[in-house]
Each structure stands twice: as C-alpha cells, then as structure tokens.
Amino acid sequence: MCIRDRDRSAYYPTSGGQAHDIGTIEIEGEVYNVSSCEKVGKCVLHILDRPLPNPDNSFYVGKKVVGQIDEGRRRQLRCHHTATHIVFAACRKVLGPHVWQNGAKKTTDQAHLDITHFTSLSKQEEKEIENEANKIILSAKQIHKSFMDKAQAEKDYGFRLYQGGIVPGNELRVVNIVDTDVEACCGTHCDNTSEVGWVKMLRTNRIQDLSLIHISEPTRQAEISYAVFCLKKKKIINISETTRLL
C-alpha cells in the first residue's frame, strides 16, 4: 500500500543516488511502517507495510498524518553522503581540477563515488587523498545548504556545481562545504565535516578501470565503499574508519 503527499514530506525519497528514509506514519490512530519512499514527478510516495482499512482511498484525502523517520538510518545516510563530497574534494586537490564525478550511490551499508581520471593511482596519491580527506574532516568546516537562483549559482560557482549532472528548473539547492566543495545536491548532509568521522586507507587491488574505496565503521557496524572511476586502470582501495567524531 502507498500513500501520496503532493505538498511536502519529512521523508527523503530515493533520489540522487541516496537511499530512502524509513520510519512510521500514524493515520487515523493507526501506526504503519514506511518501508520505502519514492518520488514520482512532484509527488512523494510512501510505501506502507499493509493496506489501509478503508478500501475507498478518497476517504483519506486531506487527513492529517504524523510521520516519524528512522533517525539512525537518516544519520547514517547523511554521513555517507557528506563523506562522498569530502572524498571527491580530496581527489580534486590531489589529482587535479580535471577530476569529475561520474556517478555515486549512498546506502546505509555502503556508498560509492565514481570520478574520471587518466591513470591509476600511485601509493603516494592514495595516501595524499586519505590525508586530505581526514584533514577536511578534522578541520570542522561548516556545511551550508541553501536554495539559489540557477543563473546566480552558475555565475558564482560555475558548472562545477553539476557533479551529479545538470539539474532541471530555475532553482538549485546548493551544498557548500566552506572553502572545500560546492555542488548542486538535494541529498541529506551533515552541518559540519567533523560529524563524518575518520578515514583510513587499508589496501589496494587493481581491477581494470575502476577504483573502489571501502570504508568500514565498526561503531555502527556499517561499511561505505567509494568507487573512483579511472579512464585506463582499475583498483580497489579499502579504507577503515577508526574514529567517530560526533
């Protein structure tokens, strides 16, 4: 069973490579589990764990509902999404401004970030990316999220905004990690880089044209994997997060 919200919702639907929120919704005194959330056009669909008791769906139109998202899952996704922006910024600083995002996915268990690059990464480059990402995290940089006129945002930041592809419409949601990274992004993000944690690179395995950076987080029993796309080579880079900075 699904219910539709035409106006607004506290639930984040699967979008931009980030997984959806889950939680509960109370309707007419009955609590339902929200197992998934999708965006169709301008509507948000909340997938419930069971059908509503009244077969006449029009009965529920205009009814007040109370939603409660799973904050632990939201926090996990938020940290993973911000981490991809930080790792991307570190890659651009170490490898050069030619590096561009070529795809991304963020779930509670793992995330991956694809970037373009013309060769495989050396051990020195891997270490420098790791150090730079941790430097950004430890510097506790503020993360600003705001809506901007598209033309003005392009004037201020250029087309580097569109790491996830061109965004339709005349307004952009801009995520600005101060002095580090600016992207048009509708995902959930931390307010400060220190919320993300500590990143440690473990090992590298070559697999043709793709680099996968894996991050384990023992305190939350989760794993993030970052995929770094290279034009000619492939590697797997494993990273362990040993410290949480909350």
Side-chain angles (χ1 to χ4, degrees):
M1 180 66 191
C2 71
I3 61 173
R4 178 177 64 182
D5 193 323
R6 293 183 178 180
D7 185 19
R8 57 191 178 275
S9 174
Y11 283 81
Y12 184 85
T14 299
S15 179
Q18 180 178 326
H20 57 270
D21 284 329
I22 61 174
T24 61
I25 283 183
E26 182 179 343
I27 307 171
E28 294 285 289
E30 189 75 17
V31 177
Y32 300 84
N33 290 322
V34 179
S35 59
S36 184
C37 197
E38 303 173 5
K39 188 174 183 180
V40 179
K42 294 184 178 181
C43 296
V44 177
L45 299 182
H46 306 73
I47 313 302
L48 306 183
D49 61 342
R50 62 187 187 278
L52 297 173
N54 193 326
D56 181 8
N57 291 334
S58 64
F59 171 79
Y60 298 99
V61 174
K63 295 289 184 180
K64 181 179 179 180
V65 301
V66 178
Q68 179 67 50
I69 66 169
D70 183 328
E71 181 55 35
R73 177 184 172 90
R74 167 68 73 83
R75 186 183 306 111
Q76 183 97 348
L77 291 168
R78 183 168 61 229
C79 288
H80 287 188
H81 202 147
T82 299
T84 63
H85 284 225
I86 291 171
V87 171
F88 176 71
C91 288
R92 282 180 63 91
K93 183 166 184 178
V94 172
L95 303 176
H98 64 278
V99 171
W100 203 261
Q101 181 177 315
N102 198 48
K105 184 177 181 180
K106 286 76 64 175
T107 69
T108 54
D109 296 325
Q110 62 179 2
H112 77 257
L113 171 68
D114 307 335
I115 66 167
T116 58
H117 187 48
F118 54 81
T119 187
S120 59
L121 304 181
S122 67
K123 291 295 183 181
Q124 180 63 29
E125 288 171 332
E126 294 166 9
K127 190 63 178 177
E128 288 178 8
I129 290 170
E130 174 192 301
N131 289 341
E132 181 60 28
N134 286 321
K135 181 180 177 181
I136 294 169
I137 291 168
L138 291 172
S139 63
K141 293 179 179 290
Q142 290 297 310
I143 303 173
H144 302 301
K145 295 145 284 189
S146 61
F147 287 93
M148 293 185 66
D149 174 75
K150 189 174 187 177
Q152 185 62 49
E154 291 175 352
K155 181 179 179 181
D156 290 348
Y157 303 113
F159 285 96
R160 65 179 175 136
L161 282 166
Y162 303 122
Q163 295 298 329
I166 298 296
V167 179
N170 297 317
E171 188 177 56
L172 299 177
R173 181 175 183 266
V174 176
V175 177
N176 185 353
I177 303 177
V178 175
D179 298 326
T180 303
D181 180 73
V182 182
E183 298 182 34
C185 180
C186 289
T188 59
H189 282 278
C190 301
D191 295 319
N192 190 288
T193 59
S194 64
E195 298 172 29
V196 173
W198 181 263
V199 173
K200 174 64 179 175
M201 192 173 295
L202 295 178
R203 66 184 185 274
T204 299
N205 298 324
R206 180 174 299 179
I207 54 168
Q208 297 180 2
D209 297 323
L210 191 65
S211 298
L212 301 178
I213 304 173
H214 295 278
I215 298 175
S216 62
E217 301 178 287
T219 58
R220 297 185 300 185
Q221 296 182 336
E223 182 177 73
I224 315 172
S225 66
Y226 293 91
V228 183
F229 182 81
C230 300
L231 294 180
K232 295 182 179 179
K233 303 290 183 180
K234 262 191 192 176
K235 286 189 172 183
I236 296 183
I237 304 169
N238 296 310
I239 289 181
S240 173
E241 179 184 347
T242 56
T243 307
R244 291 293 301 163
L245 303 174
L246 302 177

